[in-house]
Amino acid sequence: NETELKRLVLSFGYDEATLPKDVVGMAKILQSRGARNVLVTEGINGSTLVSEQGEQVYHQPSVKTESVVDETGAGDAYRAAFSVALLEGKSPQECMKFASAAGSLAVEKHGAVPSTPSRTEVEKRYQSAPETEEISVLSTKSGLSSRGIDGGPATADADKDGPFPFLVGSRLNSMKDRPELWDQPLSTPKDFVRRQSTIRGLTCVDFNYPQHFHDWKAKDAKKALNEAGLLAGAVCLRYPAKFARGAMNHPNTLLRREAIDLTKEAAEVANQLGCNEVVVWSAFDGYDYPFQVDYDNKWQELVEAFRECCDAFPHIKFSVEYKPTDENTRFFAVPSTGAAMLLVSHVDRENFGLTLDVGHMLMSGENPGQSIAMAGSKLFGIQLNDGFTRLAAEDGLMFGSVHPGMALEIMY
């Protein structure tokens, strides 16, 4: 909306004296920084679309309403209707008119969701909506494509910033999916590595330990990586089912010791693979019922276990991946980013930090961008995925498929 546009332009270093006084001028500043088509809602004043490179400018007057009851959700209804019309191949003018009809209906009811109009209601209101005005024509080129208003490269010199700074990998086990698309053997970790090497943009492999090392040794995995032109990103703990009552805080002292030793073994494997990170996610470190565990004692066991591992391998980063709940453990000992950061503080080791999973953050009711900011320099890695924002529900969907704006902020 217009207020957000102004705030965004001011963040670029403009002040009230140098800020353009109209939305078209502010939109063109966004375009100078890489945006393509800029659509701005202006409340009672309607909406304005500045097409790519400012070649065409459209203004849609607002639609008269019976009464304004609650403006909450009007902008959301506008953008949703605009997207529907755009995907249906309508012209920019038709998209804006259709969206304006939806927005005008939304203000006539209370609430964000209850006020969302039906398609039938929008189409009826569309008939009485004023026509979109083309207020500036700088060329005859089309102003809006089916790619939508999603911007282009950040700057014209984006490729001059140097190589991409991160290693990017996929879950190695995902390489066993859709075998009909692969004409080679697909039954061992080596086969999975070979397949992953054919996917453009993937540069590293995260191995599960001990799952991926039952039938070969670390030196064999290293050789397979070299042959595939990939690097080892991290070794990820997957504790066996015998640790169902806990791994590094199991109530049985011997099993707790075994879990700690297994974590150290993973660090040694990381050494042999040439990577410097062990990601620790335990499906079992938690509890199911009230009065089941001594919370302070369980917490202290984790602190001491991680300290031992960090001290034994000071050049290896140990990264805890929290999760609030799942089918194995109703309540995890480390259920949120805040709790994980508290654990980092208590462990108090330079080589101890976090791996944040987008789906797990959504399960916890967190905004991933804020959680990433909280972690700061203690963020050692991130698992990119998506899901519907519902507490305790994990969907494991493609990154950005549900929350594209959130995904953009995560990468920012």
Side-chain angles (χ1 to χ4, degrees), residues 349-386:
R349 295 296 186 269
E350 287 293 325
N351 57 328
F352 186 63
L354 308 185
T355 288
L356 294 177
D357 182 291
V358 174
H360 297 176
M361 289 184 275
L362 293 174
M363 290 174 69
S364 297
E366 298 178 9
N367 170 20
Q370 181 183 13
S371 298
I372 290 168
M374 286 173 58
S377 63
K378 286 298 184 178
L379 180 65
F380 290 172
I382 185 165
Q383 310 284 354
L384 298 176
N385 46 63
D386 209 338

PDB file of all heavy atoms in Angstrom, residues 349-386:
ATOM      1  N   ARG A 349      30.153 -22.515  24.284  1.00  0.00           N
ATOM      2  CA  ARG A 349      31.307 -22.931  23.500  1.00  0.00           C
ATOM      3  C   ARG A 349      31.238 -22.249  22.140  1.00  0.00           C
ATOM      4  O   ARG A 349      30.180 -22.146  21.534  1.00  0.00           O
ATOM      5  CB  ARG A 349      31.345 -24.456  23.311  1.00  0.00           C
ATOM      6  CG  ARG A 349      31.530 -25.257  24.591  1.00  0.00           C
ATOM      7  CD  ARG A 349      32.869 -24.985  25.256  1.00  0.00           C
ATOM      8  NE  ARG A 349      33.111 -25.856  26.396  1.00  0.00           N
ATOM      9  CZ  ARG A 349      32.767 -25.572  27.661  1.00  0.00           C
ATOM     10  NH1 ARG A 349      32.114 -24.430  27.918  1.00  0.00           N
ATOM     11  NH2 ARG A 349      33.043 -26.419  28.642  1.00  0.00           N
ATOM     12  N   GLU A 350      32.388 -21.799  21.644  1.00  0.00           N
ATOM     13  CA  GLU A 350      32.435 -21.092  20.371  1.00  0.00           C
ATOM     14  C   GLU A 350      31.929 -21.966  19.229  1.00  0.00           C
ATOM     15  O   GLU A 350      31.363 -21.460  18.253  1.00  0.00           O
ATOM     16  CB  GLU A 350      33.865 -20.635  20.069  1.00  0.00           C
ATOM     17  CG  GLU A 350      34.333 -19.462  20.922  1.00  0.00           C
ATOM     18  CD  GLU A 350      33.569 -18.181  20.621  1.00  0.00           C
ATOM     19  OE1 GLU A 350      33.218 -17.980  19.442  1.00  0.00           O
ATOM     20  OE2 GLU A 350      33.303 -17.405  21.560  1.00  0.00           O
ATOM     21  N   ASN A 351      32.153 -23.272  19.323  1.00  0.00           N
ATOM     22  CA  ASN A 351      31.793 -24.174  18.234  1.00  0.00           C
ATOM     23  C   ASN A 351      30.421 -24.820  18.422  1.00  0.00           C
ATOM     24  O   ASN A 351      30.148 -25.885  17.876  1.00  0.00           O
ATOM     25  CB  ASN A 351      32.867 -25.258  18.037  1.00  0.00           C
ATOM     26  CG  ASN A 351      33.126 -26.081  19.294  1.00  0.00           C
ATOM     27  OD1 ASN A 351      33.016 -25.581  20.407  1.00  0.00           O
ATOM     28  ND2 ASN A 351      33.502 -27.352  19.129  1.00  0.00           N
ATOM     29  N   PHE A 352      29.548 -24.156  19.177  1.00  0.00           N
ATOM     30  CA  PHE A 352      28.193 -24.659  19.370  1.00  0.00           C
ATOM     31  C   PHE A 352      27.191 -23.616  18.904  1.00  0.00           C
ATOM     32  O   PHE A 352      27.256 -22.443  19.308  1.00  0.00           O
ATOM     33  CB  PHE A 352      27.937 -24.999  20.839  1.00  0.00           C
ATOM     34  CG  PHE A 352      26.600 -25.667  21.076  1.00  0.00           C
ATOM     35  CD1 PHE A 352      26.317 -26.900  20.510  1.00  0.00           C
ATOM     36  CD2 PHE A 352      25.624 -25.055  21.851  1.00  0.00           C
ATOM     37  CE1 PHE A 352      25.088 -27.520  20.717  1.00  0.00           C
ATOM     38  CE2 PHE A 352      24.408 -25.660  22.064  1.00  0.00           C
ATOM     39  CZ  PHE A 352      24.128 -26.899  21.496  1.00  0.00           C
ATOM     40  N   GLY A 353      26.276 -24.027  18.002  1.00  0.00           N
ATOM     41  CA  GLY A 353      25.288 -23.091  17.474  1.00  0.00           C
ATOM     42  C   GLY A 353      24.037 -23.800  17.003  1.00  0.00           C
ATOM     43  O   GLY A 353      23.697 -24.891  17.486  1.00  0.00           O
ATOM     44  N   LEU A 354      23.335 -23.199  16.028  1.00  0.00           N
ATOM     45  CA  LEU A 354      22.028 -23.685  15.609  1.00  0.00           C
ATOM     46  C   LEU A 354      21.971 -23.993  14.121  1.00  0.00           C
ATOM     47  O   LEU A 354      22.613 -23.326  13.308  1.00  0.00           O
ATOM     48  CB  LEU A 354      20.940 -22.630  15.878  1.00  0.00           C
ATOM     49  CG  LEU A 354      20.812 -22.004  17.250  1.00  0.00           C
ATOM     50  CD1 LEU A 354      19.595 -21.095  17.261  1.00  0.00           C
ATOM     51  CD2 LEU A 354      20.709 -23.051  18.317  1.00  0.00           C
ATOM     52  N   THR A 355      21.182 -24.990  13.782  1.00  0.00           N
ATOM     53  CA  THR A 355      20.656 -25.171  12.432  1.00  0.00           C
ATOM     54  C   THR A 355      19.148 -24.980  12.546  1.00  0.00           C
ATOM     55  O   THR A 355      18.494 -25.680  13.328  1.00  0.00           O
ATOM     56  CB  THR A 355      20.972 -26.569  11.879  1.00  0.00           C
ATOM     57  OG1 THR A 355      22.372 -26.648  11.584  1.00  0.00           O
ATOM     58  CG2 THR A 355      20.196 -26.833  10.588  1.00  0.00           C
ATOM     59  N   LEU A 356      18.615 -24.022  11.811  1.00  0.00           N
ATOM     60  CA  LEU A 356      17.184 -23.734  11.886  1.00  0.00           C
ATOM     61  C   LEU A 356      16.468 -24.334  10.685  1.00  0.00           C
ATOM     62  O   LEU A 356      16.910 -24.191   9.541  1.00  0.00           O
ATOM     63  CB  LEU A 356      16.946 -22.223  11.937  1.00  0.00           C
ATOM     64  CG  LEU A 356      17.446 -21.520  13.200  1.00  0.00           C
ATOM     65  CD1 LEU A 356      17.214 -20.014  13.107  1.00  0.00           C
ATOM     66  CD2 LEU A 356      16.756 -22.067  14.444  1.00  0.00           C
ATOM     67  N   ASP A 357      15.369 -25.004  10.956  1.00  0.00           N
ATOM     68  CA  ASP A 357      14.534 -25.619   9.923  1.00  0.00           C
ATOM     69  C   ASP A 357      13.274 -24.766   9.776  1.00  0.00           C
ATOM     70  O   ASP A 357      12.575 -24.501  10.753  1.00  0.00           O
ATOM     71  CB  ASP A 357      14.174 -27.048  10.344  1.00  0.00           C
ATOM     72  CG  ASP A 357      13.342 -27.771   9.314  1.00  0.00           C
ATOM     73  OD1 ASP A 357      12.176 -27.392   9.116  1.00  0.00           O
ATOM     74  OD2 ASP A 357      13.855 -28.737   8.708  1.00  0.00           O
ATOM     75  N   VAL A 358      13.005 -24.301   8.541  1.00  0.00           N
ATOM     76  CA  VAL A 358      11.862 -23.403   8.325  1.00  0.00           C
ATOM     77  C   VAL A 358      10.560 -24.051   8.783  1.00  0.00           C
ATOM     78  O   VAL A 358       9.734 -23.428   9.455  1.00  0.00           O
ATOM     79  CB  VAL A 358      11.769 -22.992   6.843  1.00  0.00           C
ATOM     80  CG1 VAL A 358      10.501 -22.169   6.596  1.00  0.00           C
ATOM     81  CG2 VAL A 358      12.996 -22.184   6.438  1.00  0.00           C
ATOM     82  N   GLY A 359      10.367 -25.320   8.441  1.00  0.00           N
ATOM     83  CA  GLY A 359       9.151 -26.005   8.858  1.00  0.00           C
ATOM     84  C   GLY A 359       9.009 -26.106  10.360  1.00  0.00           C
ATOM     85  O   GLY A 359       7.911 -25.958  10.903  1.00  0.00           O
ATOM     86  N   HIS A 360      10.125 -26.337  11.047  1.00  0.00           N
ATOM     87  CA  HIS A 360      10.084 -26.420  12.505  1.00  0.00           C
ATOM     88  C   HIS A 360       9.762 -25.061  13.120  1.00  0.00           C
ATOM     89  O   HIS A 360       9.048 -24.976  14.125  1.00  0.00           O
ATOM     90  CB  HIS A 360      11.423 -26.931  13.041  1.00  0.00           C
ATOM     91  CG  HIS A 360      11.759 -28.319  12.591  1.00  0.00           C
ATOM     92  ND1 HIS A 360      12.951 -28.940  12.902  1.00  0.00           N
ATOM     93  CD2 HIS A 360      11.054 -29.220  11.841  1.00  0.00           C
ATOM     94  CE1 HIS A 360      12.963 -30.151  12.371  1.00  0.00           C
ATOM     95  NE2 HIS A 360      11.826 -30.343  11.724  1.00  0.00           N
ATOM     96  N   MET A 361      10.294 -23.991  12.522  1.00  0.00           N
ATOM     97  CA  MET A 361       9.978 -22.649  13.026  1.00  0.00           C
ATOM     98  C   MET A 361       8.501 -22.345  12.837  1.00  0.00           C
ATOM     99  O   MET A 361       7.852 -21.765  13.730  1.00  0.00           O
ATOM    100  CB  MET A 361      10.846 -21.606  12.331  1.00  0.00           C
ATOM    101  CG  MET A 361      12.311 -21.646  12.731  1.00  0.00           C
ATOM    102  SD  MET A 361      13.315 -20.327  12.003  1.00  0.00           S
ATOM    103  CE  MET A 361      13.737 -21.031  10.405  1.00  0.00           C
ATOM    104  N   LEU A 362       7.944 -22.731  11.693  1.00  0.00           N
ATOM    105  CA  LEU A 362       6.518 -22.522  11.464  1.00  0.00           C
ATOM    106  C   LEU A 362       5.687 -23.337  12.447  1.00  0.00           C
ATOM    107  O   LEU A 362       4.671 -22.869  12.964  1.00  0.00           O
ATOM    108  CB  LEU A 362       6.157 -22.907  10.028  1.00  0.00           C
ATOM    109  CG  LEU A 362       6.734 -22.019   8.920  1.00  0.00           C
ATOM    110  CD1 LEU A 362       6.406 -22.598   7.545  1.00  0.00           C
ATOM    111  CD2 LEU A 362       6.204 -20.598   9.026  1.00  0.00           C
ATOM    112  N   MET A 363       6.110 -24.565  12.737  1.00  0.00           N
ATOM    113  CA  MET A 363       5.414 -25.401  13.711  1.00  0.00           C
ATOM    114  C   MET A 363       5.371 -24.746  15.079  1.00  0.00           C
ATOM    115  O   MET A 363       4.428 -24.931  15.852  1.00  0.00           O
ATOM    116  CB  MET A 363       6.121 -26.754  13.834  1.00  0.00           C
ATOM    117  CG  MET A 363       5.997 -27.671  12.644  1.00  0.00           C
ATOM    118  SD  MET A 363       7.013 -29.159  12.869  1.00  0.00           S
ATOM    119  CE  MET A 363       6.136 -29.987  14.201  1.00  0.00           C
ATOM    120  N   SER A 364       6.420 -23.999  15.386  1.00  0.00           N
ATOM    121  CA  SER A 364       6.520 -23.347  16.690  1.00  0.00           C
ATOM    122  C   SER A 364       5.786 -22.012  16.736  1.00  0.00           C
ATOM    123  O   SER A 364       5.804 -21.328  17.759  1.00  0.00           O
ATOM    124  CB  SER A 364       7.991 -23.112  17.045  1.00  0.00           C
ATOM    125  OG  SER A 364       8.682 -24.334  17.161  1.00  0.00           O
ATOM    126  N   GLY A 365       5.178 -21.628  15.619  1.00  0.00           N
ATOM    127  CA  GLY A 365       4.476 -20.352  15.573  1.00  0.00           C
ATOM    128  C   GLY A 365       5.414 -19.174  15.440  1.00  0.00           C
ATOM    129  O   GLY A 365       5.060 -18.048  15.805  1.00  0.00           O
ATOM    130  N   GLU A 366       6.619 -19.409  14.907  1.00  0.00           N
ATOM    131  CA  GLU A 366       7.606 -18.344  14.790  1.00  0.00           C
ATOM    132  C   GLU A 366       7.615 -17.740  13.386  1.00  0.00           C
ATOM    133  O   GLU A 366       7.157 -18.366  12.427  1.00  0.00           O
ATOM    134  CB  GLU A 366       9.010 -18.888  15.096  1.00  0.00           C
ATOM    135  CG  GLU A 366       9.169 -19.434  16.497  1.00  0.00           C
ATOM    136  CD  GLU A 366      10.561 -20.018  16.747  1.00  0.00           C
ATOM    137  OE1 GLU A 366      11.451 -19.840  15.884  1.00  0.00           O
ATOM    138  OE2 GLU A 366      10.754 -20.657  17.797  1.00  0.00           O
ATOM    139  N   ASN A 367       8.122 -16.528  13.290  1.00  0.00           N
ATOM    140  CA  ASN A 367       8.432 -15.911  12.006  1.00  0.00           C
ATOM    141  C   ASN A 367       9.893 -16.254  11.706  1.00  0.00           C
ATOM    142  O   ASN A 367      10.791 -15.778  12.395  1.00  0.00           O
ATOM    143  CB  ASN A 367       8.244 -14.391  12.071  1.00  0.00           C
ATOM    144  CG  ASN A 367       8.784 -13.708  10.829  1.00  0.00           C
ATOM    145  OD1 ASN A 367       8.960 -14.330   9.788  1.00  0.00           O
ATOM    146  ND2 ASN A 367       9.053 -12.420  10.933  1.00  0.00           N
ATOM    147  N   PRO A 368      10.170 -17.099  10.696  1.00  0.00           N
ATOM    148  CA  PRO A 368      11.547 -17.546  10.454  1.00  0.00           C
ATOM    149  C   PRO A 368      12.556 -16.423  10.310  1.00  0.00           C
ATOM    150  O   PRO A 368      13.684 -16.530  10.793  1.00  0.00           O
ATOM    151  CB  PRO A 368      11.421 -18.367   9.166  1.00  0.00           C
ATOM    152  CG  PRO A 368      10.034 -18.911   9.210  1.00  0.00           C
ATOM    153  CD  PRO A 368       9.219 -17.797   9.803  1.00  0.00           C
ATOM    154  N   GLY A 369      12.165 -15.336   9.646  1.00  0.00           N
ATOM    155  CA  GLY A 369      13.098 -14.226   9.490  1.00  0.00           C
ATOM    156  C   GLY A 369      13.561 -13.677  10.825  1.00  0.00           C
ATOM    157  O   GLY A 369      14.745 -13.385  11.030  1.00  0.00           O
ATOM    158  N   GLN A 370      12.622 -13.524  11.752  1.00  0.00           N
ATOM    159  CA  GLN A 370      12.973 -13.019  13.080  1.00  0.00           C
ATOM    160  C   GLN A 370      13.844 -14.018  13.829  1.00  0.00           C
ATOM    161  O   GLN A 370      14.803 -13.643  14.501  1.00  0.00           O
ATOM    162  CB  GLN A 370      11.705 -12.733  13.883  1.00  0.00           C
ATOM    163  CG  GLN A 370      11.983 -12.168  15.278  1.00  0.00           C
ATOM    164  CD  GLN A 370      10.714 -11.958  16.082  1.00  0.00           C
ATOM    165  OE1 GLN A 370       9.654 -12.445  15.721  1.00  0.00           O
ATOM    166  NE2 GLN A 370      10.824 -11.235  17.181  1.00  0.00           N
ATOM    167  N   SER A 371      13.525 -15.309  13.705  1.00  0.00           N
ATOM    168  CA  SER A 371      14.320 -16.327  14.396  1.00  0.00           C
ATOM    169  C   SER A 371      15.753 -16.348  13.873  1.00  0.00           C
ATOM    170  O   SER A 371      16.706 -16.493  14.646  1.00  0.00           O
ATOM    171  CB  SER A 371      13.671 -17.702  14.211  1.00  0.00           C
ATOM    172  OG  SER A 371      12.374 -17.728  14.779  1.00  0.00           O
ATOM    173  N   ILE A 372      15.906 -16.205  12.558  1.00  0.00           N
ATOM    174  CA  ILE A 372      17.242 -16.157  11.966  1.00  0.00           C
ATOM    175  C   ILE A 372      18.012 -14.963  12.508  1.00  0.00           C
ATOM    176  O   ILE A 372      19.200 -15.051  12.836  1.00  0.00           O
ATOM    177  CB  ILE A 372      17.132 -16.109  10.437  1.00  0.00           C
ATOM    178  CG1 ILE A 372      16.621 -17.462   9.912  1.00  0.00           C
ATOM    179  CG2 ILE A 372      18.467 -15.762   9.790  1.00  0.00           C
ATOM    180  CD1 ILE A 372      16.216 -17.439   8.459  1.00  0.00           C
ATOM    181  N   ALA A 373      17.325 -13.823  12.609  1.00  0.00           N
ATOM    182  CA  ALA A 373      17.977 -12.623  13.152  1.00  0.00           C
ATOM    183  C   ALA A 373      18.390 -12.831  14.600  1.00  0.00           C
ATOM    184  O   ALA A 373      19.454 -12.380  15.033  1.00  0.00           O
ATOM    185  CB  ALA A 373      17.041 -11.417  13.022  1.00  0.00           C
ATOM    186  N   MET A 374      17.554 -13.522  15.382  1.00  0.00           N
ATOM    187  CA  MET A 374      17.885 -13.815  16.781  1.00  0.00           C
ATOM    188  C   MET A 374      19.145 -14.659  16.897  1.00  0.00           C
ATOM    189  O   MET A 374      19.982 -14.437  17.777  1.00  0.00           O
ATOM    190  CB  MET A 374      16.728 -14.562  17.455  1.00  0.00           C
ATOM    191  CG  MET A 374      15.512 -13.735  17.791  1.00  0.00           C
ATOM    192  SD  MET A 374      14.163 -14.780  18.399  1.00  0.00           S
ATOM    193  CE  MET A 374      14.947 -15.564  19.809  1.00  0.00           C
ATOM    194  N   ALA A 375      19.282 -15.628  15.984  1.00  0.00           N
ATOM    195  CA  ALA A 375      20.427 -16.536  16.064  1.00  0.00           C
ATOM    196  C   ALA A 375      21.734 -15.828  15.746  1.00  0.00           C
ATOM    197  O   ALA A 375      22.784 -16.154  16.311  1.00  0.00           O
ATOM    198  CB  ALA A 375      20.215 -17.713  15.112  1.00  0.00           C
ATOM    199  N   GLY A 376      21.695 -14.859  14.852  1.00  0.00           N
ATOM    200  CA  GLY A 376      22.899 -14.084  14.541  1.00  0.00           C
ATOM    201  C   GLY A 376      24.069 -14.950  14.121  1.00  0.00           C
ATOM    202  O   GLY A 376      23.937 -15.860  13.292  1.00  0.00           O
ATOM    203  N   SER A 377      25.203 -14.717  14.722  1.00  0.00           N
ATOM    204  CA  SER A 377      26.426 -15.446  14.360  1.00  0.00           C
ATOM    205  C   SER A 377      26.382 -16.905  14.796  1.00  0.00           C
ATOM    206  O   SER A 377      27.242 -17.697  14.396  1.00  0.00           O
ATOM    207  CB  SER A 377      27.648 -14.772  14.986  1.00  0.00           C
ATOM    208  OG  SER A 377      27.573 -14.815  16.400  1.00  0.00           O
ATOM    209  N   LYS A 378      25.399 -17.271  15.605  1.00  0.00           N
ATOM    210  CA  LYS A 378      25.266 -18.664  16.032  1.00  0.00           C
ATOM    211  C   LYS A 378      24.418 -19.497  15.062  1.00  0.00           C
ATOM    212  O   LYS A 378      24.151 -20.663  15.335  1.00  0.00           O
ATOM    213  CB  LYS A 378      24.663 -18.723  17.440  1.00  0.00           C
ATOM    214  CG  LYS A 378      25.642 -18.319  18.535  1.00  0.00           C
ATOM    215  CD  LYS A 378      26.839 -19.263  18.569  1.00  0.00           C
ATOM    216  CE  LYS A 378      27.780 -18.951  19.718  1.00  0.00           C
ATOM    217  NZ  LYS A 378      28.917 -19.909  19.764  1.00  0.00           N
ATOM    218  N   LEU A 379      24.005 -18.907  13.950  1.00  0.00           N
ATOM    219  CA  LEU A 379      23.305 -19.651  12.921  1.00  0.00           C
ATOM    220  C   LEU A 379      24.342 -20.353  12.051  1.00  0.00           C
ATOM    221  O   LEU A 379      25.038 -19.733  11.259  1.00  0.00           O
ATOM    222  CB  LEU A 379      22.448 -18.721  12.064  1.00  0.00           C
ATOM    223  CG  LEU A 379      21.660 -19.396  10.941  1.00  0.00           C
ATOM    224  CD1 LEU A 379      20.618 -20.351  11.503  1.00  0.00           C
ATOM    225  CD2 LEU A 379      21.005 -18.368  10.037  1.00  0.00           C
ATOM    226  N   PHE A 380      24.444 -21.669  12.182  1.00  0.00           N
ATOM    227  CA  PHE A 380      25.430 -22.445  11.433  1.00  0.00           C
ATOM    228  C   PHE A 380      24.853 -23.004  10.134  1.00  0.00           C
ATOM    229  O   PHE A 380      25.595 -23.343   9.219  1.00  0.00           O
ATOM    230  CB  PHE A 380      25.960 -23.601  12.285  1.00  0.00           C
ATOM    231  CG  PHE A 380      26.841 -23.169  13.431  1.00  0.00           C
ATOM    232  CD1 PHE A 380      27.259 -24.094  14.382  1.00  0.00           C
ATOM    233  CD2 PHE A 380      27.252 -21.854  13.575  1.00  0.00           C
ATOM    234  CE1 PHE A 380      28.087 -23.722  15.439  1.00  0.00           C
ATOM    235  CE2 PHE A 380      28.070 -21.456  14.629  1.00  0.00           C
ATOM    236  CZ  PHE A 380      28.485 -22.395  15.570  1.00  0.00           C
ATOM    237  N   GLY A 381      23.534 -23.148  10.047  1.00  0.00           N
ATOM    238  CA  GLY A 381      22.925 -23.698   8.846  1.00  0.00           C
ATOM    239  C   GLY A 381      21.429 -23.529   8.872  1.00  0.00           C
ATOM    240  O   GLY A 381      20.840 -23.207   9.913  1.00  0.00           O
ATOM    241  N   ILE A 382      20.794 -23.719   7.714  1.00  0.00           N
ATOM    242  CA  ILE A 382      19.338 -23.585   7.652  1.00  0.00           C
ATOM    243  C   ILE A 382      18.781 -24.623   6.693  1.00  0.00           C
ATOM    244  O   ILE A 382      19.371 -24.912   5.649  1.00  0.00           O
ATOM    245  CB  ILE A 382      18.919 -22.158   7.225  1.00  0.00           C
ATOM    246  CG1 ILE A 382      17.391 -22.003   7.277  1.00  0.00           C
ATOM    247  CG2 ILE A 382      19.453 -21.812   5.841  1.00  0.00           C
ATOM    248  CD1 ILE A 382      16.927 -20.574   7.227  1.00  0.00           C
ATOM    249  N   GLN A 383      17.661 -25.240   7.077  1.00  0.00           N
ATOM    250  CA  GLN A 383      16.956 -26.202   6.242  1.00  0.00           C
ATOM    251  C   GLN A 383      15.794 -25.464   5.584  1.00  0.00           C
ATOM    252  O   GLN A 383      14.889 -24.976   6.258  1.00  0.00           O
ATOM    253  CB  GLN A 383      16.423 -27.366   7.094  1.00  0.00           C
ATOM    254  CG  GLN A 383      17.430 -28.005   8.021  1.00  0.00           C
ATOM    255  CD  GLN A 383      18.409 -28.916   7.297  1.00  0.00           C
ATOM    256  OE1 GLN A 383      18.274 -29.159   6.100  1.00  0.00           O
ATOM    257  NE2 GLN A 383      19.398 -29.425   8.004  1.00  0.00           N
ATOM    258  N   LEU A 384      15.811 -25.369   4.250  1.00  0.00           N
ATOM    259  CA  LEU A 384      14.812 -24.594   3.523  1.00  0.00           C
ATOM    260  C   LEU A 384      13.655 -25.486   3.096  1.00  0.00           C
ATOM    261  O   LEU A 384      13.835 -26.435   2.335  1.00  0.00           O
ATOM    262  CB  LEU A 384      15.452 -23.941   2.297  1.00  0.00           C
ATOM    263  CG  LEU A 384      16.577 -22.940   2.586  1.00  0.00           C
ATOM    264  CD1 LEU A 384      17.179 -22.440   1.278  1.00  0.00           C
ATOM    265  CD2 LEU A 384      16.068 -21.776   3.421  1.00  0.00           C
ATOM    266  N   ASN A 385      12.469 -25.191   3.596  1.00  0.00           N
ATOM    267  CA  ASN A 385      11.251 -25.901   3.211  1.00  0.00           C
ATOM    268  C   ASN A 385      10.079 -24.983   3.512  1.00  0.00           C
ATOM    269  O   ASN A 385      10.278 -23.791   3.750  1.00  0.00           O
ATOM    270  CB  ASN A 385      11.141 -27.243   3.952  1.00  0.00           C
ATOM    271  CG  ASN A 385      11.443 -27.101   5.432  1.00  0.00           C
ATOM    272  OD1 ASN A 385      10.731 -26.402   6.148  1.00  0.00           O
ATOM    273  ND2 ASN A 385      12.512 -27.739   5.895  1.00  0.00           N
ATOM    274  N   ASP A 386       8.885 -25.484   3.515  1.00  0.00           N
ATOM    275  CA  ASP A 386       7.726 -24.633   3.773  1.00  0.00           C
ATOM    276  C   ASP A 386       6.588 -25.495   4.302  1.00  0.00           C
ATOM    277  O   ASP A 386       6.663 -26.730   4.288  1.00  0.00           O
ATOM    278  CB  ASP A 386       7.307 -23.905   2.492  1.00  0.00           C
ATOM    279  CG  ASP A 386       6.638 -22.559   2.770  1.00  0.00           C
ATOM    280  OD1 ASP A 386       6.120 -22.374   3.890  1.00  0.00           O
ATOM    281  OD2 ASP A 386       6.632 -21.699   1.872  1.00  0.00           O
TER     282      ASP A 386
END
